[in-house]
Protein backbone atom coordinates (compact mmCIF):
# COMPACT_ATOMS: atom_id res chain seq x y z
CA UNK A 1 0.00 0.00 0.00
CA UNK A 2 2.97 2.32 0.42
CA UNK A 3 3.21 2.92 -3.35
CA UNK A 4 -0.46 3.81 -3.57
CA UNK A 5 -0.43 6.07 -0.51
CA UNK A 6 2.46 8.05 -1.97
CA UNK A 7 0.62 8.47 -5.28
CA UNK A 8 -2.63 9.46 -3.55
CA UNK A 9 -0.79 12.05 -1.46
CA UNK A 10 0.97 13.52 -4.50
CA UNK A 11 -2.28 13.64 -6.47
CA UNK A 12 -3.88 15.51 -3.57
CA UNK A 13 -1.01 18.02 -3.55
CA UNK A 14 -1.41 18.46 -7.31
CA UNK A 15 -5.15 19.08 -7.13
CA UNK A 16 -4.94 21.48 -4.17
CA UNK A 17 -2.07 23.44 -5.71
CA UNK A 18 -3.78 23.77 -9.08
CA UNK A 19 -6.99 24.93 -7.41
CA UNK A 20 -5.01 27.46 -5.37
CA UNK A 21 -3.21 28.79 -8.45
CA UNK A 22 -6.41 29.12 -10.47
CA UNK A 23 -8.30 30.84 -7.65
CA UNK A 24 -5.39 33.20 -7.05
CA UNK A 25 -5.20 34.01 -10.76
CA UNK A 26 -8.91 34.75 -10.91
CA UNK A 27 -8.76 37.05 -7.89
CA UNK A 28 -5.69 39.08 -8.89
CA UNK A 29 -6.17 42.75 -9.81
CA UNK A 30 -7.20 43.34 -13.40
CA UNK A 31 -4.23 43.02 -15.74
CA UNK A 32 -2.57 45.66 -17.87
CA UNK A 33 -3.91 45.02 -21.35
CA UNK A 34 -1.47 44.26 -24.15
CA UNK A 35 -3.63 45.80 -26.87
CA UNK A 36 -2.00 43.67 -29.55
CA UNK A 37 -3.99 42.78 -32.63
CA UNK A 38 -5.28 40.68 -34.26
CA UNK A 39 -6.91 38.81 -31.39
CA UNK A 40 -7.39 35.16 -32.30
CA UNK A 41 -11.11 35.00 -31.64
CA UNK A 42 -11.87 37.86 -34.04
CA UNK A 43 -14.13 36.77 -36.89
CA UNK A 44 -13.98 39.78 -39.22
CA UNK A 45 -11.87 39.86 -42.42
CA UNK A 46 -9.72 42.55 -40.77
CA UNK A 47 -7.79 39.80 -39.00
CA UNK A 48 -5.85 39.14 -42.21
CA UNK A 49 -4.05 42.49 -41.89
CA UNK A 50 -3.98 42.81 -38.10
CA UNK A 51 -7.18 44.80 -37.63
CA UNK A 52 -9.93 44.62 -35.03
CA UNK A 53 -13.50 45.58 -34.27
CA UNK A 54 -12.18 48.92 -32.98
CA UNK A 55 -12.08 50.12 -36.60
CA UNK A 56 -15.88 50.03 -36.79
CA UNK A 57 -17.75 53.29 -36.41
CA UNK A 58 -19.50 53.37 -33.01
CA UNK A 59 -18.10 49.91 -32.25
CA UNK A 60 -19.22 50.15 -28.62
CA UNK A 61 -22.88 49.99 -29.71
CA UNK A 62 -22.44 46.86 -31.81
CA UNK A 63 -22.59 43.21 -30.79
CA UNK A 64 -19.23 41.47 -30.72
CA UNK A 65 -18.69 37.99 -32.13
CA UNK A 66 -15.97 35.59 -31.00
CA UNK A 67 -14.92 32.28 -32.51
CA UNK A 68 -13.76 29.43 -30.27
CA UNK A 69 -12.67 27.58 -33.41
CA UNK A 70 -10.27 30.40 -34.32
CA UNK A 71 -8.77 30.22 -30.84
CA UNK A 72 -8.32 26.44 -31.01
CA UNK A 73 -6.69 26.67 -34.44
CA UNK A 74 -4.00 28.79 -32.83
CA UNK A 75 -3.72 27.23 -29.38
CA UNK A 76 -3.61 23.52 -30.27
CA UNK A 77 -0.60 23.75 -32.64
CA UNK A 78 1.13 26.10 -30.19
CA UNK A 79 0.60 23.81 -27.20
CA UNK A 80 1.27 20.48 -28.93
CA UNK A 81 3.97 21.46 -31.41
CA UNK A 82 5.42 24.67 -29.88
CA UNK A 83 4.88 26.56 -33.12
CA UNK A 84 6.23 29.83 -31.72
CA UNK A 85 9.60 28.27 -30.90
CA UNK A 86 9.70 26.64 -34.36
CA UNK A 87 9.43 30.10 -35.91
CA UNK A 88 11.72 32.00 -33.55
CA UNK A 89 14.43 29.53 -32.49
CA UNK A 90 14.54 26.47 -34.74
CA UNK A 91 17.70 24.88 -33.21
CA UNK A 92 16.19 24.93 -29.72
CA UNK A 93 12.91 23.52 -31.04
CA UNK A 94 14.61 20.28 -32.07
CA UNK A 95 15.26 19.39 -28.42
CA UNK A 96 12.37 21.25 -26.78
CA UNK A 97 9.66 19.63 -28.92
CA UNK A 98 10.53 15.97 -28.11
CA UNK A 99 10.80 16.90 -24.42
CA UNK A 100 7.33 18.48 -24.28
CA UNK A 101 5.66 16.04 -26.65
CA UNK A 102 7.14 13.15 -24.69
CA UNK A 103 5.49 14.51 -21.55
CA UNK A 104 2.19 14.92 -23.42
CA UNK A 105 2.35 11.33 -24.65
CA UNK A 106 2.94 10.04 -21.13
CA UNK A 107 0.02 12.11 -19.85
CA UNK A 108 -2.08 10.51 -22.61
CA UNK A 109 -0.73 7.11 -21.56
CA UNK A 110 -1.81 7.75 -17.96
CA UNK A 111 -5.30 8.58 -19.20
CA UNK A 112 -5.43 5.43 -21.31
CA UNK A 113 -4.21 3.33 -18.37
CA UNK A 114 -7.00 4.66 -16.15
CA UNK A 115 -9.57 4.10 -18.90
CA UNK A 116 -8.26 0.53 -19.35
CA UNK A 117 -8.51 -0.04 -15.59
CA UNK A 118 -12.09 1.27 -15.48
CA UNK A 119 -13.19 -1.05 -18.28
CA UNK A 120 -11.43 -4.03 -16.69
CA UNK A 121 -12.94 -3.40 -13.26
CA UNK A 122 -16.37 -2.71 -14.72
CA UNK A 123 -16.29 -6.10 -16.42
CA UNK A 124 -17.44 -4.75 -19.77
CA UNK A 125 -18.37 -7.65 -22.11
CA UNK A 126 -16.69 -5.82 -25.00
CA UNK A 127 -13.50 -5.80 -22.93
CA UNK A 128 -13.44 -9.43 -21.86
CA UNK A 129 -10.78 -11.92 -22.87
CA UNK A 130 -8.90 -11.06 -26.01
CA UNK A 131 -11.51 -8.74 -27.50
CA UNK A 132 -10.62 -6.27 -30.21
CA UNK A 133 -11.36 -3.31 -27.94
CA UNK A 134 -8.99 -4.62 -25.28
CA UNK A 135 -6.24 -5.34 -27.79
CA UNK A 136 -6.63 -1.91 -29.42
CA UNK A 137 -6.49 -0.08 -26.09
CA UNK A 138 -3.46 -2.02 -24.89
CA UNK A 139 -1.77 -1.37 -28.22
CA UNK A 140 -2.40 2.37 -27.83
CA UNK A 141 -0.94 2.26 -24.32
CA UNK A 142 2.23 0.61 -25.60
CA UNK A 143 2.51 3.02 -28.54
CA UNK A 144 2.01 6.24 -26.55
CA UNK A 145 4.02 4.96 -23.59
CA UNK A 146 7.08 3.97 -25.58
CA UNK A 147 6.81 7.04 -27.79
CA UNK A 148 6.71 9.28 -24.72
CA UNK A 149 9.65 7.54 -23.08
CA UNK A 150 11.89 7.69 -26.15
CA UNK A 151 11.04 11.30 -27.00
CA UNK A 152 11.22 12.39 -23.36
CA UNK A 153 14.67 10.90 -22.79
CA UNK A 154 16.04 12.39 -25.99
CA UNK A 155 14.47 15.79 -25.35
CA UNK A 156 15.43 16.14 -21.69
CA UNK A 157 19.00 15.07 -22.39
CA UNK A 158 19.13 17.47 -25.34
CA UNK A 159 17.79 20.38 -23.28
CA UNK A 160 20.30 19.69 -20.50
CA UNK A 161 23.10 19.74 -23.04
CA UNK A 162 21.85 22.96 -24.62
CA UNK A 163 21.55 24.63 -21.21
CA UNK A 164 25.13 23.72 -20.42
CA UNK A 165 26.71 24.27 -23.84
CA UNK A 166 24.90 27.35 -25.15
CA UNK A 167 26.37 30.54 -23.60
CA UNK A 168 23.18 32.50 -24.27
CA UNK A 169 21.00 29.95 -22.46
CA UNK A 170 23.55 29.42 -19.69
CA UNK A 171 23.64 33.15 -18.98
CA UNK A 172 19.96 33.17 -18.02
CA UNK A 173 19.75 29.73 -16.39
CA UNK A 174 19.39 29.35 -12.63
CA UNK A 175 19.76 26.32 -10.41
CA UNK A 176 16.03 25.54 -10.61
CA UNK A 177 16.26 25.19 -14.41
CA UNK A 178 18.95 22.50 -14.15
CA UNK A 179 17.22 20.79 -11.21
CA UNK A 180 13.89 20.60 -13.03
CA UNK A 181 15.44 19.16 -16.18
CA UNK A 182 17.56 16.72 -14.18
CA UNK A 183 14.54 15.59 -12.16
CA UNK A 184 12.44 14.96 -15.26
CA UNK A 185 15.32 13.26 -17.08
CA UNK A 186 15.84 10.92 -14.11
CA UNK A 187 12.13 10.03 -14.23
CA UNK A 188 12.26 9.35 -17.98
CA UNK A 189 15.41 7.25 -17.55
CA UNK A 190 13.98 5.11 -14.74
CA UNK A 191 10.70 4.65 -16.61
CA UNK A 192 12.58 3.54 -19.72
CA UNK A 193 14.61 1.04 -17.66
CA UNK A 194 11.38 -0.34 -16.16
CA UNK A 195 9.77 -0.58 -19.61
CA UNK A 196 12.73 -2.52 -21.01
CA UNK A 197 11.92 -5.36 -18.61
CA UNK A 198 8.16 -4.99 -19.24
CA UNK A 199 7.79 -3.94 -22.89
CA UNK A 200 3.99 -4.42 -22.93
CA UNK A 201 3.63 -2.19 -19.82
CA UNK A 202 1.58 -4.84 -18.00
CA UNK A 203 2.87 -3.59 -14.65
CA UNK A 204 1.67 -0.07 -15.41
CA UNK A 205 -1.79 -1.42 -16.31
CA UNK A 206 -1.93 -3.33 -13.06
CA UNK A 207 -0.79 -0.34 -11.03
CA UNK A 208 -3.54 1.78 -12.58
CA UNK A 209 -6.09 -0.82 -11.48
CA UNK A 210 -4.57 -0.78 -8.01
CA UNK A 211 -4.98 2.98 -7.80
CA UNK A 212 -8.70 2.64 -8.48
CA UNK A 213 -9.19 -0.18 -5.98
CA UNK A 214 -6.92 1.00 -3.18
CA UNK A 215 -4.55 -1.93 -3.58
CA UNK A 216 -2.98 -4.21 -6.13
CA UNK A 217 -5.35 -6.53 -7.97
CA UNK A 218 -4.79 -10.27 -7.50
CA UNK A 219 -2.18 -11.95 -9.62
CA UNK A 220 0.14 -8.97 -10.12
CA UNK A 221 3.58 -8.10 -8.82
CA UNK A 222 2.65 -4.54 -7.93
CA UNK A 223 4.08 -4.81 -4.43
CA UNK A 224 7.39 -6.00 -5.92
CA UNK A 225 7.91 -3.70 -8.91
CA UNK A 226 11.68 -4.02 -8.92
CA UNK A 227 14.24 -1.25 -8.49
CA UNK A 228 13.47 0.56 -11.75
CA UNK A 229 9.71 0.13 -11.36
CA UNK A 230 9.74 1.33 -7.76
CA UNK A 231 11.89 4.32 -8.65
CA UNK A 232 9.51 5.14 -11.51
CA UNK A 233 6.47 5.08 -9.20
CA UNK A 234 8.23 7.32 -6.66
CA UNK A 235 9.56 9.79 -9.23
CA UNK A 236 6.30 9.92 -11.20
CA UNK A 237 4.30 10.58 -8.02
CA UNK A 238 6.71 13.27 -6.81
CA UNK A 239 6.74 14.88 -10.26
CA UNK A 240 2.95 15.12 -10.26
CA UNK A 241 3.09 17.02 -6.96
CA UNK A 242 6.14 19.09 -7.94
CA UNK A 243 5.09 20.51 -11.32
CA UNK A 244 2.29 22.84 -10.11
CA UNK A 245 4.61 24.18 -7.37
CA UNK A 246 7.04 25.56 -9.97
CA UNK A 247 7.04 27.68 -13.10
CA UNK A 248 6.51 24.44 -15.04
CA UNK A 249 2.83 24.96 -14.25
CA UNK A 250 2.84 27.21 -17.34
CA UNK A 251 1.71 24.11 -19.27
CA UNK A 252 -1.84 24.74 -18.02
CA UNK A 253 -1.65 28.27 -16.55
CA UNK A 254 -0.88 29.73 -19.97
CA UNK A 255 -4.63 29.52 -20.59
CA UNK A 256 -4.96 32.65 -18.46
CA UNK A 257 -2.12 34.37 -20.31
CA UNK A 258 -3.98 33.91 -23.57
CA UNK A 259 -7.52 34.67 -22.40
CA UNK A 260 -6.96 37.28 -19.69
CA UNK A 261 -4.01 39.18 -21.10
CA UNK A 262 -3.21 38.58 -24.77
CA UNK A 263 -6.74 38.04 -26.07
CA UNK A 264 -8.87 40.04 -23.66
CA UNK A 265 -10.41 42.74 -25.86
CA UNK A 266 -13.73 43.16 -24.04
CA UNK A 267 -14.77 46.84 -24.09
CA UNK A 268 -14.74 48.80 -20.84
CA UNK A 269 -18.29 50.14 -20.57
CA UNK A 270 -19.86 52.34 -17.91
CA UNK A 271 -21.00 50.30 -14.93
CA UNK A 272 -19.22 47.14 -16.13
CA UNK A 273 -17.17 44.68 -14.13
CA UNK A 274 -14.04 45.94 -15.88
CA UNK A 275 -14.71 49.54 -14.84
CA UNK A 276 -15.19 48.47 -11.21
CA UNK A 277 -11.90 46.53 -11.30
CA UNK A 278 -10.05 49.49 -12.82
CA UNK A 279 -11.43 51.86 -10.19
CA UNK A 280 -10.12 49.47 -7.55
CA UNK A 281 -6.70 49.50 -9.21
CA UNK A 282 -6.65 53.29 -9.19
CA UNK A 283 -6.66 53.21 -5.38
CA UNK A 284 -3.40 51.24 -5.20
CA UNK A 285 -0.33 53.15 -4.00
CA UNK A 286 2.70 52.14 -6.11
CA UNK A 287 6.31 52.38 -4.95
CA UNK A 288 8.14 52.47 -8.28
CA UNK A 289 11.72 53.67 -8.21
CA UNK A 290 11.43 56.02 -11.21
CA UNK A 291 11.46 59.55 -9.81
CA UNK A 292 9.45 60.93 -12.74
CA UNK A 293 6.48 58.78 -11.62
CA UNK A 294 6.63 60.18 -8.07
CA UNK A 295 5.38 56.81 -6.78
CA UNK A 296 6.40 57.26 -3.15
CA UNK A 297 3.88 54.83 -1.66
CA UNK A 298 1.70 57.71 -0.47
CA UNK A 299 0.08 58.73 -3.75
CA UNK A 300 -2.46 56.47 -5.40
CA UNK A 301 -2.58 55.75 -9.13
CA UNK A 302 -5.50 58.16 -9.29
CA UNK A 303 -3.31 60.93 -7.83
CA UNK A 304 -0.44 60.12 -10.18
CA UNK A 305 -2.59 59.82 -13.30
CA UNK A 306 -4.55 63.02 -12.70
CA UNK A 307 -2.24 65.62 -11.11
CA UNK A 308 -3.19 69.20 -10.55
CA UNK A 309 -2.07 71.36 -13.49
CA UNK A 310 1.18 73.17 -12.78
CA UNK A 311 1.48 76.91 -13.15
CA UNK A 312 3.23 78.17 -16.24
CA UNK A 313 6.50 79.95 -15.60
Amino acid sequence: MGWYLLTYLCLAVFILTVVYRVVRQLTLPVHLRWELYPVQHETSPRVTYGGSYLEDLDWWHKKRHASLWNELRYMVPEMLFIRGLWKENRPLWWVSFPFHFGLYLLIATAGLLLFHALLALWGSPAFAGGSGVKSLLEGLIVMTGWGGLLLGNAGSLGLLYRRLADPDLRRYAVFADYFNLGFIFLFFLCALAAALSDPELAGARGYAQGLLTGGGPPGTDLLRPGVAGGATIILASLLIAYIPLTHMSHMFMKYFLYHQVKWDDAPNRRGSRIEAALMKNMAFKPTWQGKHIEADGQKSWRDIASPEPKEMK
Side-chain angles (χ1 to χ4, degrees), residues 17-37:
T17 307
V18 170
V19 169
Y20 167 76
R21 281 188 173 273
V22 171
V23 171
R24 182 175 181 275
Q25 180 67 40
L26 293 175
T27 55
L28 285 173
V30 66
H31 62 83
L32 182 63
R33 227 175 229 180
W34 282 25
E35 300 289 4
L36 297 178
Y37 298 96

Side-chain angles (χ1 to χ4, degrees), residues 198 200-208 222:
D198 181 18
E200 295 185 358
L201 307 184
R205 296 198 304 269
Y207 192 74
L222 295 178

Side-chain angles (χ1 to χ4, degrees), residues 15 21 30 38 52 62-63 70 127 169 173 182 189-190 204 220 238 248 265:
I15 293 170
R21 281 188 173 273
V30 66
S52 77
K62 299 178 180 179
K63 185 177 180 180
N70 285 352
F127 197 70
L169 291 177
L189 197 61
C190 288
T220 64
L238 293 177
M248 291 188 292
D265 61 346

